[in-house]
Amino acid sequence: MAIKTISYAASDIGRVRSSNQDSGYAGYNLFFVADGMGGHAGGDIASALVAQRVAQADAIYDSAEKAGEILKDTIWQANHVLRDACQEHPELSGMGTTFSGMILVGDKATIAHIGDSRIYRARNGEVKQITSDHTFVQRLVETGRITAEEALVHPRRSVLMRVLGDMEEFPEIDIETYDVLPGDRWMMCSDGLCGVVPDSVMDRLMLSKIDSDEATELLVGEALEFGAPDNVTVVVVDIVGPRTQTEFIPSARFVGSGANDVVIDDRKGRRILKILNPLNLPDIILRRTEDPTDYVPESDEYLEKILRETRTTIRWRYVRQLATVILITAAIAAGVIGIYNWSQDRYYVADHGGYVTIYKGIKESLGPLKFSVVYKTTGLSIAELPEYQRYLVSRSITATDLKDAQRILGELTKMVVKK
Ligand code: CA
């Protein structure tokens, strides 16, 4: 079955970064995001070079398998382009990029994925994450060593195990084929969206009937609302039936650094590779911060290291919680002691077993805690008092001090009704 797509791509530098190192592409049959990393300049060049090379695979294929093979080969060629660039321009060494994309053939979508950009699919009112992040933290989640909640706030959550770059000749790329159905909404994004905007907010826009272009812009807008600490790139692809009438005319659209030319700048005998983007200038003047994303080749030692860090974090959290409990308990105890000390200078006169009695402390209690003791019992029976004084004693009469309590007792004694 032939299907049609309506797609859109948008990218934003965000509110913190000095350059947009993301690239996005919404083409005819191919759609992807690439999130570059490394150095002052480098990440933007990496994602642009890969985007522009891989976009060349945007064609019509006989089968999803064939499309998958070609896509993977093209990604490896793009990886070679990066390696060559790093060899010729050593200042770029260490640059790399993620890649998460899909190519449509008939009613199939073949996914190619490396790194921590993501692909989601909304179908029948449900949003599903299709790709799995190639991060150490995700590995710890999958092996049950930390929880998904701990991963969300892990300080090393952006350290990648696998990326495209000058490190490996043929990096491992996840290739998978899925059915597509009319009504599906597929979405590709960099971690500037999924690492920043809560799932519930993303889901709402994924499941909405808002057109793909508006949904894309709203998703990017949400990342900006949430502070956009990183570049954010979103590509939305809506699958529509072959006979659906639309005004959408498919075209190839690059966004982010991939939308610019990568040029060689001859400067004082040095040939520097750079992105030709006049919009970058104000950001360089503003001197915003660089991307903290790291790439560390897959190793068990590193996995152990970040697991140790996780345990330390968890231990510190317990220590903090315990300290909070101790502090609150201490504050309550101090309060109780304070009330007790203050109450010990006070006296009142009240009934005790039918006799007028002087109490030391205050009548009020705090749960099971009492703040008064009997100070002096008397032989003065309550029954001997006039009715009104009987009533006052039954409610207790507060004295300012011991002398005052004795004065009240004297007054009461004088009022005894002679029988
Ligand atoms: Ca990023």
Side-chain angles (χ1 to χ4, degrees), residues 295-307:
Y295 167 74
V296 177
E298 186 169 355
S299 82
D300 286 341
E301 293 88 74
Y302 192 72
L303 211 58
E304 282 308 317
K305 186 181 160 210
I306 64 169
L307 190 58

Side-chain angles (χ1 to χ4, degrees), residues 118 120 129 133 137-138 141 146-158 194-199:
R118 288 183 181 174
Y120 291 87
Q129 187 185 330
D133 298 345
V137 164
Q138 180 59 27
V141 173
I146 65 170
T147 67
E149 289 72 39
E150 282 163 359
L152 278 178
V153 293
H154 200 287
R156 304 241 179 207
R157 61 191 176 278
S158 54
C194 50
V196 174
V197 177
D199 285 355

Side-chain angles (χ1 to χ4, degrees), residues 135-202:
T135 57
F136 282 94
V137 164
Q138 180 59 27
R139 167 73 71 84
L140 292 175
V141 173
E142 281 164 10
T143 52
R145 292 191 272 181
I146 65 170
T147 67
E149 289 72 39
E150 282 163 359
L152 278 178
V153 293
H154 200 287
R156 304 241 179 207
R157 61 191 176 278
S158 54
V159 179
L160 302 174
M161 295 196 309
R162 282 195 254 155
V163 282
L164 301 177
D166 61 342
M167 292 68 71
E168 255 185 285
E169 196 172 0
F170 296 104
E172 193 186 336
I173 297 159
D174 293 351
I175 300 282
E176 207 106 38
T177 297
Y178 295 85
D179 289 330
V180 293
L181 294 175
D184 280 0
R185 168 168 282 175
W186 293 69
M187 191 264 284
M188 279 136 271
C189 65
S190 61
D191 64 341
L193 178 77
C194 50
V196 174
V197 177
D199 285 355
S200 58
V201 177
M202 287 203 307

Side-chain angles (χ1 to χ4, degrees), residues 17 21-22 34-37 98 116-117 158 160 190-193 229-233 291-293:
R17 298 266 180 265
Q21 308 200 330
D22 281 1
D35 176 351
M37 68 203 64
T98 69
D116 68 346
S117 298
S158 54
L160 302 174
S190 61
D191 64 341
L193 178 77
D230 196 359
N231 308 143
V232 50
T233 300
D291 189 348
T293 308

